[in-house]
Amino acid sequence: MTDLSSKKKESFQVLLQQLQLTEDAMVEHFRDALIDRVVVEKKQKKWHFFFQFERIIPCSLMSRFTTQLDRSFSHIANVTSTFNVLDQSVTEELIHDYWKHCVQEIDGMAPPLLKLLNEQLPKVQGHKVVLNVRNETEGMAIKNKYSGILADIFQTYGFPILTIDTVVNQDSSANNDYEEFRKAKEKEDQERALMAMVEMQKKEAEKDQGDAGVPDGPVSIGLTIKDDADLRRLEEIVDEERRVTVEGYVFHAETKELRSGRTLLTFKITDYTSSIMVKMFSRDKEDAAIFNVIKKGMWLKVRGSVQNDTFVRDLVMIGNDVNEIRPKLRKDKAREGEKRVELHLHTPMSQMDAVSSVSDLVSQAAKWGHKAVAITDHAVAQSFPEAFGAGKKNDIKILYGVEANLVDDGVPIAYNSAHRLLADDTYIVFDVETTGLSAVYDTIIELAAVKVQNGDIVDRFESFANPHRRLSSTIIELTGITDDMVENAPEVDDVLREFHEWIGDAILVAHNASFDMGFLNTGCKKIGIGKLPNPVIDTLELGRLLFPDMKNHRLNTLAKKLDVELTQHHRAIYDAEATGYILIKMLKEAAEKGIEYHDQMNDYMGQGNAYKRARPHHITLLAQTEAGLKNLFKLVSISHLNYFYRVPRIPRSVLQKYREGILVGSACDKGEVFETMMQKSMEEAEEAAQFYDYLEVMPKPVYSHLIELELVRDERSLENIITNIVKLGEKLNLPVVATGNVHYLNPNDKIYRKILVNSQGGANPLNRHRLPDVHFRTTDEMLDEFSFLGKEKAKEIVVTNSNKVADMIDVIKPIKDDLYTPKIDGADEEMRNMSYGMARSIYGDELPEIVEARLEKELKSIIDNGFAVIYLISHKLVKKSLNDGYLVGSRGSVGSSFVATMTEITEVNPLPPHYVCSKCKKSEFFDDGSVGSGFDLPDKDCQTVGSATRKMGMISRLKPSLALKEIRFRILISTSPENISHVPMTIQKSCSVKTMCIVRVQLVP
Ligand SMILES: [Zn+2]
Ligand SMILES: [Zn+2]
């Protein structure tokens, strides 16, 4: 090994230290890695690392490495890197390992294609990657547009040049093996991601702790080195120089007291191009004190002279000025009394979604001088205790809330109800193709319909319409309509006029009618016809009513079920025709159910599992009073127990019932006010908004995915939507509040969320686009985001209104000072019976004195203090968990309670060591301290019946918990990650206890 390459390797190891990636797994994989060179662009503050690896390293390590590289240099430079890999052999496994990661990096891919790539693992033949596609067009799109990009991305991680091929495969079942492999992999990724994240955050926390003895601001010795100082790379320093400035990572530092009484500080720094030793001599006591602060791990700028040092026989720098470079802390620059309040904030209890701890978020809010901060996790209240503690510690008001999933009690099948006999009527079954999903901002490009009479299609209508804009690639891919097909088409207004004349007063029918009717009505209103009064039937909802057991009720699924031919799905006329035949068959089925008239169709609305069919909308609930908090808890419980379907849901009627003391906000882009404003009309948004107490708008970057997904055309349209919501608030006299949808504290924490979300793969819709910027924003940052509304308006929604809402809320304590045990009728008696029953089954009907005395003593204390019910709940929890196959461990005071043993909460028997015969139940106790533990007793047969006796009893080192002031059952349930949400669910459902159980769930890899 040449001296040079060993230096380059050392330098890589120093980098690992700087990145805090020092655990064995990391070091092992990077053993032969080296930093070949670093190219620095001083002006742009850009650094490019050239790394050399022995072989391609696992994707999870690679992403941690690049993540940390990014983060650690974020305050120094913008870092990019190239990986040169010596042994480029690849396997299918390795490509699968990197697959999702690389697909995520493709920019601007149409969502359907992205989904396709995301949801499969390609076959690999040598350096060829073969992808399944659904048709030739898709294959061409992938090959032409993305194969090069994808190969490039793989290459950046050291892969050889891969070629991408596609194969048409319509039968999705062929993908089953992959599907399973993918799922297994996803699971594995999720676990790894969680662990990596925990590890990284732990390190960060340690670092913060380590800083405790260090002065608050960055360290500075001598003069301040200005930003524009001519920074030299260390590799350029080859000779003695009078005055140079360098920067680098400190990888060694020590101070020495010299005989002269002065202190000598020596430290070594590297900028990864080379390294140098710096020496400094103290001039006075203060100098000496500050020298001690220079530590390994800092990033320093140093100015001084370079000299040949005879002692170390190398060039050494004699430092004059030293400045530490630290990441800048964000400050809230708003004046006292003009600070905002964050009303929408997620903590790690928003499962697999948010990352910063409640304590950090709350203490940051307090440091910025905010007077309050809200907690609004997805559907749960588990962060309240920690938030309460953090609020007390930091002297800041906590607003307790949740972001819930609101559903309508039922979705109508028919609109504009009319008492018309279905069998005799005329129907216009129609379908529209559009430039996008928003009836407000998008327009119709094709309108097609069939007329149905007496069970047959009797007429057709078909026309394109000119949108006067270019179609997006998603729309072209989805509809097969291209720009030249609509370029010379008639104006949409004319098409609608003609259509209006053609339909007469017939019943209108469409699949997912609210979408098509939205476009039709918006268009008709524009040309003065107004909202159409025709009765409407939605075949999607009708299908759901008639065939509740079908997995989905998409048009092609229904067509298959009802034996209707559907060629060229997604072209309007074919879809309309197929819907026509589907309608004919469904009307027959409906007649058999007794639905004969149009106005009977909604009679079944809200029945059965209607909550499962409705699409949930996000909604923010803030407890305004103590009573409101109780209602909030009820809603959380009800949504988990009675209305859980994929997510816990709250039907609108249930929310109304428990709404007292709760402020209702309109939440994010998944809230109904925003969505209606985006996709329907101002009037409909107004109707939706009346349900709320305040309206939320968020910074544009928080909505950025909407533009990427082509739900909103551009930033202008987004501003339009926000402006319209603000106007709506004025009109309805509702406060409009700027909220941040916070998911982490600082912008550079985004990477943690990315790891978390990415690990969930296609199952999480967040993986279909880039993640928005959802850090905790300061007042001035928030004001900037809304400056497009004008200064005054921005201040009103950011500062005035957020404070107004916060002031409407009482100071609430979610944790009571006294103990309030829950109540279950007969709990005392049940505990007594259960304990004695079990004791008799082990020790015989005539209980040994020691057993009976202990039972009595404990039971009295337990029952008198009101703890019987807690024992009973624990008993049920443990039993249910064991029955369902979850391991249960117990810890703490539970191990010293004999009643807990007798009620099977724990297996630990806290009695003195003893033998007991399982047949004749005779026992022998050693309570003189001669035996330490029952397990140490020698094996022994029972003298009476001759069979082996059981050995039991462990005198617990814990004192028996008889002086019961407080009792805590910490029940540890071990489960694998995919069951996390399932466990608390099962337990809550099975316990039939009207209380909240706090269960700590441990992950078992
Ligand atoms: Zn939301
Ligand atoms: Zn949210």
Side-chain angles (χ1 to χ4, degrees):
M1 194 192 295
T2 62
D3 190 37
L4 187 63
S5 84
S6 77
K7 259 198 173 151
K8 288 175 171 178
K9 278 186 191 176
E10 268 169 41
S11 180
F12 188 91
Q13 295 304 320
V14 171
L15 180 66
L16 282 186
Q17 282 178 25
Q18 190 192 340
L19 307 190
Q20 299 185 304
L21 297 173
T22 47
E23 66 264 43
D24 292 348
M26 272 291 171
V27 177
E28 190 63 33
H29 275 279
F30 289 120
R31 176 153 299 163
D32 294 311
L34 52 86
I35 301 177
D36 200 30
R37 62 205 159 94
V38 184
V39 174
V40 176
E41 285 177 52
K42 277 183 218 166
K43 284 255 164 59
Q44 283 87 24
K45 288 202 164 185
K46 274 190 187 159
W47 288 35
H48 191 93
F49 281 92
F50 289 83
F51 296 110
Q52 180 187 301
F53 292 171
E54 200 66 15
R55 59 188 70 79
I56 302 166
I57 58 165
C59 185
S60 57
L61 294 188
M62 183 59 119
S63 65
R64 269 189 72 195
F65 178 75
T66 48
T67 302
Q68 282 302 79
L69 194 63
D70 245 28
R71 282 180 64 88
S72 308
F73 279 86
S74 59
H75 56 295
I76 299 156
N78 200 336
V79 177
T80 48
S81 32
T82 301
F83 301 94
N84 173 31
V85 173
L86 297 179
D87 172 7
Q88 287 193 314
S89 48
V90 292
T91 57
E92 184 167 77
E93 220 183 345
L94 195 59
I95 288 176
H96 287 176
D97 189 28
Y98 271 85
W99 180 249
K100 235 170 30 190
H101 189 84
C102 291
V103 168
Q104 293 289 345
E105 281 186 35
I106 303 175
D107 254 347
M109 191 177 218
L113 281 186
L114 187 62
K115 189 164 177 263
L116 179 79
L117 294 195
N118 246 327
E119 292 181 358
Q120 65 172 311
L121 283 171
K123 278 211 175 73
V124 177
Q125 300 154 351
H127 288 178
K128 195 162 90 177
V129 173
V130 185
L131 284 164
N132 273 320
V133 291
R134 289 163 293 204
N135 52 53
E136 283 299 336
T137 338
E138 238 173 37
M140 291 309 286
I142 287 179
K143 267 193 280 193
N144 293 344
K145 266 202 226 155
Y146 300 111
S147 65
I149 299 172
L150 202 53
D152 284 350
I153 293 172
F154 267 98
Q155 246 190 309
T156 57
Y157 296 111
F159 282 79
I161 300 170
L162 302 173
T163 54
I164 313 279
D165 207 355
T166 58
V167 53
V168 177
N169 189 352
Q170 283 179 315
D171 186 11
S172 60
S173 64
N175 248 330
N176 267 355
D177 286 353
Y178 281 130
E179 185 57 19
E180 250 163 52
F181 183 94
R182 191 180 60 79
K183 272 194 189 143
K185 171 103 182 65
E186 222 152 67
K187 214 166 82 187
E188 209 176 288
D189 282 354
Q190 231 173 78
E191 286 158 30
R192 267 207 220 126
L194 262 179
M195 285 191 229
M197 208 188 68
V198 169
E199 188 72 30
M200 277 152 77
Q201 288 192 323
K202 211 168 72 194
K203 288 239 169 89
E204 210 123 296
E206 274 167 19
K207 201 167 85 187
D208 290 349
Q209 294 274 306
D211 285 349
V214 175
D216 261 359
V219 179
S220 175
I221 307 174
L223 303 172
T224 304
I225 302 169
K226 289 208 183 90
D227 265 353
D228 56 0
D230 179 28
L231 279 174
R232 302 273 296 278
R233 272 174 290 147
L234 285 169
E235 64 180 356
E236 298 170 351
I237 314 266
V238 289
D239 215 337
E240 298 198 320
E241 289 193 53
R242 289 257 307 275
R243 186 180 154 95
V244 288
T245 310
V246 296
E247 68 174 328
Y249 172 75
V250 179
F251 61 97
H252 176 89
E254 61 181 9
T255 50
K256 224 189 272 170
E257 187 102 20
L258 300 176
R259 251 174 294 167
S260 62
R262 299 211 304 179
T263 303
L264 168 67
L265 163 68
T266 45
F267 59 90
K268 294 177 186 166
I269 60 170
T270 178
D271 62 0
Y272 302 104
T273 65
S274 186
S275 56
I276 195 164
M277 179 189 274
V278 182
K279 287 187 172 181
M280 293 183 83
F281 294 93
S282 65
R283 281 155 299 195
D284 47 39
K285 277 242 167 73
E286 278 162 40
D287 266 2
I290 209 162
F291 277 5
N292 281 316
V293 175
I294 302 291
K295 290 265 158 59
K296 183 177 153 180
M298 285 178 166
W299 190 273
L300 300 178
K301 264 190 206 174
V302 188
R303 186 161 52 200
S305 58
V306 177
Q307 302 173 0
N308 249 314
D309 189 311
T310 43
F311 190 61
V312 289
R313 289 199 208 141
D314 201 353
L315 287 173
V316 157
M317 187 177 209
I318 304 299
N320 292 324
D321 312 308
V322 174
N323 292 179
E324 189 194 358
I325 313 292
R326 265 202 216 171
K328 279 199 187 80
L329 292 177
R330 288 190 299 141
K331 290 209 170 84
D332 192 312
K333 299 187 193 100
R335 265 180 301 172
E336 195 68 31
E338 292 183 5
K339 313 254 188 189
R340 67 181 286 251
V341 172
E342 179 58 68
L343 296 179
H344 191 132
L345 175 144
H346 295 272
T347 80
M349 290 303 166
S350 288
Q351 198 185 317
M352 295 297 272
D353 191 25
V355 291
S356 300
S357 83
V358 192
S359 306
D360 288 355
L361 291 161
V362 169
S363 98
Q364 182 65 82
K367 270 188 208 141
W368 281 341
H370 298 186
K371 69 169 158 204
V373 60
I375 308 289
T376 57
D377 278 318
H378 289 301
V380 297
Q382 267 102 333
S383 267
F384 290 4
E386 190 182 339
F388 175 64
K392 266 211 300 211
K393 190 173 151 203
N394 294 287
D395 193 21
I396 179 172
K397 178 170 165 185
I398 305 290
L399 316 174
Y400 299 94
V402 297
E403 184 172 15
N405 302 291
L406 178 76
V407 289
D408 275 311
D409 291 79
V411 181
I413 295 168
Y415 302 87
N416 301 341
S417 282
H419 193 66
R420 281 163 63 161
L421 191 62
L422 295 169
D424 293 350
D425 229 308
T426 303
Y427 300 89
I428 301 295
V429 186
F430 75 104
D431 187 38
V432 296
E433 301 298 345
T434 62
T435 56
L437 293 176
S438 167
V440 194
Y441 300 96
D442 289 301
T443 175
I444 296 175
I445 49 174
E446 188 181 16
L447 175 56
V450 295
K451 194 175 271 179
V452 173
Q453 247 166 12
N454 304 320
D456 213 352
I457 291 178
V458 296
D459 197 5
R460 282 179 171 73
F461 180 99
E462 191 178 4
S463 179
F464 285 120
N466 190 345
H468 294 288
R469 66 170 95 141
R470 298 196 66 79
L471 301 175
S472 75
S473 58
T474 315
I475 292 301
I476 294 173
E477 266 160 42
L478 200 71
T479 62
I481 298 173
T482 56
D483 286 318
D484 33 306
M485 290 162 85
V486 291
E487 216 166 40
N488 297 313
E491 297 301 314
V492 70
D493 294 359
D494 296 334
V495 176
L496 284 174
R497 269 192 209 101
E498 203 188 321
F499 183 68
H500 180 238
E501 210 141 285
W502 183 70
I503 60 174
D505 71 340
I507 297 180
L508 293 170
V509 180
H511 202 66
N512 192 13
S514 71
F515 175 83
D516 301 78
M517 285 309 293
F519 275 91
L520 216 52
N521 280 330
T522 310
C524 285
K525 266 187 258 174
K526 259 187 221 149
I527 54 174
I529 295 173
K531 207 174 151 206
L532 296 174
N534 305 45
V536 180
I537 294 176
D538 184 353
T539 46
L540 174 68
E541 289 307 325
L542 184 57
R544 283 176 171 160
L545 174 75
L546 296 176
F547 316 114
D549 297 331
M550 276 170 70
K551 235 167 134 191
N552 69 62
H553 299 81
R554 283 196 284 264
L555 196 59
N556 48 348
T557 327
L558 276 172
K560 217 174 188 177
K561 158 124 189 149
L562 295 173
D563 212 8
V564 169
E565 203 179 330
L566 177 57
T567 46
Q568 299 208 37
H569 188 20
H570 287 314
R571 285 303 309 278
I573 188 66
Y574 297 109
D575 280 3
E577 220 169 77
T579 314
Y581 287 117
I582 287 170
L583 173 78
I584 293 166
K585 298 204 170 173
M586 285 207 295
L587 286 179
K588 278 192 195 132
E589 293 257 351
E592 279 165 29
K593 276 210 150 110
I595 303 175
E596 284 180 56
Y597 290 91
H598 183 262
D599 55 2
Q600 285 176 303
M601 287 195 142
N602 288 344
D603 288 357
Y604 296 87
M605 205 166 85
Q607 274 184 6
N609 290 335
Y611 70 91
K612 287 187 184 172
R613 296 200 294 271
R615 208 160 53 85
H617 281 109
H618 284 188
I619 185 170
T620 315
L621 308 176
L622 293 177
Q624 197 180 4
T625 58
E626 291 279 352
L629 184 72
K630 194 162 183 182
N631 278 333
L632 194 67
F633 286 153
K634 280 185 188 158
L635 287 168
V636 169
S637 299
I638 292 171
S639 66
H640 279 87
L641 294 174
N642 304 341
Y643 298 101
F644 191 95
Y645 182 65
R646 299 199 176 114
V647 290
R649 298 165 182 229
I650 301 178
R652 203 183 290 270
S653 60
V654 175
L655 175 56
Q656 286 299 46
K657 191 170 162 196
Y658 295 103
R659 190 167 173 164
E660 196 206 321
I662 291 177
L663 287 178
V664 180
S666 63
C668 57
D669 53 287
K670 293 188 192 72
E672 57 179 339
V673 175
F674 189 94
E675 198 185 90
T676 313
M677 196 60 101
M678 173 172 75
Q679 299 191 337
K680 291 180 182 163
S681 63
M682 186 87 174
E683 295 91 82
E684 280 161 286
E686 186 179 326
E687 214 167 283
Q690 306 201 348
F691 185 73
Y692 294 84
D693 297 313
Y694 65 97
L695 301 180
E696 291 177 65
V697 288
M698 294 170 176
K700 283 182 281 174
V702 177
Y703 298 126
S704 64
H705 52 284
L706 299 174
I707 295 176
E708 195 185 326
L709 294 175
E710 296 174 9
L711 289 165
V712 173
R713 196 158 10 127
D714 50 21
E715 208 174 301
R716 287 275 310 147
S717 311
L718 195 52
E719 285 179 4
N720 229 324
I721 296 172
I722 296 171
T723 312
N724 281 340
I725 294 178
V726 172
K727 279 192 199 140
L728 194 56
E730 284 165 13
K731 187 171 173 197
L732 298 176
N733 204 15
L734 288 174
V736 177
V737 189
T739 61
N741 207 0
V742 178
H743 283 70
Y744 44 83
L745 187 48
N746 289 310
N748 59 1
D749 295 327
K750 181 174 179 175
I751 195 79
Y752 293 140
R753 182 167 189 239
K754 199 172 161 206
I755 294 173
L756 210 56
V757 170
N758 272 5
S759 73
Q760 298 163 73
N764 190 334
L766 287 173
N767 273 325
R768 289 173 208 152
H769 52 74
R770 253 163 289 164
L771 290 174
D773 295 331
V774 283
H775 48 274
F776 192 175
R777 286 173 165 84
T778 63
T779 307
D780 33 305
E781 284 170 343
M782 203 62 149
L783 285 171
D784 271 356
E785 299 282 8
F786 288 99
S787 57
F788 67 91
L789 291 171
K791 232 179 169 176
E792 252 170 59
K793 204 72 211 174
K795 193 171 172 191
E796 180 188 319
I797 65 169
V798 171
V799 181
T800 317
N801 288 351
S802 67
N803 280 283
K804 197 173 179 182
V805 171
D807 290 342
M808 286 160 76
I809 293 172
D810 293 352
V811 173
I812 297 173
K813 277 170 102 175
I815 313 261
K816 305 290 169 227
D817 292 331
D818 299 322
L819 180 71
Y820 294 86
T821 54
K823 285 183 185 63
I824 301 178
D825 285 340
D828 297 356
E829 209 44 39
E830 201 173 337
M831 277 315 295
R832 181 171 282 281
N833 292 342
M834 225 190 306
S835 302
Y836 270 97
M838 178 61 84
R840 290 199 174 103
S841 78
I842 296 173
Y843 297 102
D845 286 345
E846 197 68 43
L847 289 179
E849 203 190 304
I850 189 166
V851 173
E852 181 154 7
R854 176 67 171 256
L855 269 185
E856 263 318 301
K857 198 168 169 193
E858 277 195 34
L859 278 172
K860 183 176 178 337
S861 163
I862 288 167
I863 290 167
D864 287 356
N865 286 292
F867 290 122
V869 68
I870 295 184
Y871 270 77
L872 190 60
I873 293 168
S874 306
H875 163 80
K876 290 185 185 219
L877 268 173
V878 172
K879 195 167 171 200
K880 170 71 181 165
S881 303
L882 289 174
N883 285 349
D884 288 357
Y886 300 111
L887 288 174
V888 178
S890 50
R891 46 179 290 192
S893 49
V894 66
S896 59
S897 165
F898 185 54
V899 171
T901 320
M902 290 302 101
T903 49
E904 292 177 288
I905 293 167
T906 174
E907 290 182 323
V908 179
N909 186 323
L911 292 179
H914 58 279
Y915 289 108
V916 58
C917 173
S918 40
K919 283 204 174 144
C920 72
K921 312 205 183 321
K922 214 173 124 185
S923 54
E924 183 183 358
F925 280 83
F926 301 89
D927 53 355
D928 55 359
S930 60
V931 182
S933 153
F935 297 106
D936 294 338
L937 288 170
D939 289 338
K940 192 176 156 187
D941 289 341
C942 175
Q943 288 149 355
T944 327
V945 292
S947 68
T949 53
R950 281 200 277 170
K951 299 179 291 182
M952 290 180 150
M954 320 242 316
I955 291 196
S956 173
R957 257 169 288 136
L958 295 159
K959 283 205 180 98
S961 55
L962 296 179
L964 286 167
K965 276 204 199 96
E966 164 185 271
I967 186 153
R968 275 190 203 163
F969 281 107
R970 285 185 222 163
I971 295 181
L972 198 66
I973 296 181
S974 303
T975 179
S976 48
E978 77 271 23
N979 281 328
I980 290 185
S981 62
H982 181 65
V983 172
M985 279 288 305
T986 337
I987 288 166
Q988 288 193 16
K989 276 202 166 164
S990 68
C991 268
S992 67
V993 173
K994 287 190 184 65
T995 177
M996 290 186 53
C997 314
I998 296 178
V999 178
R1000 186 175 288 265
V1001 178
Q1002 177 190 35
L1003 290 184
V1004 186

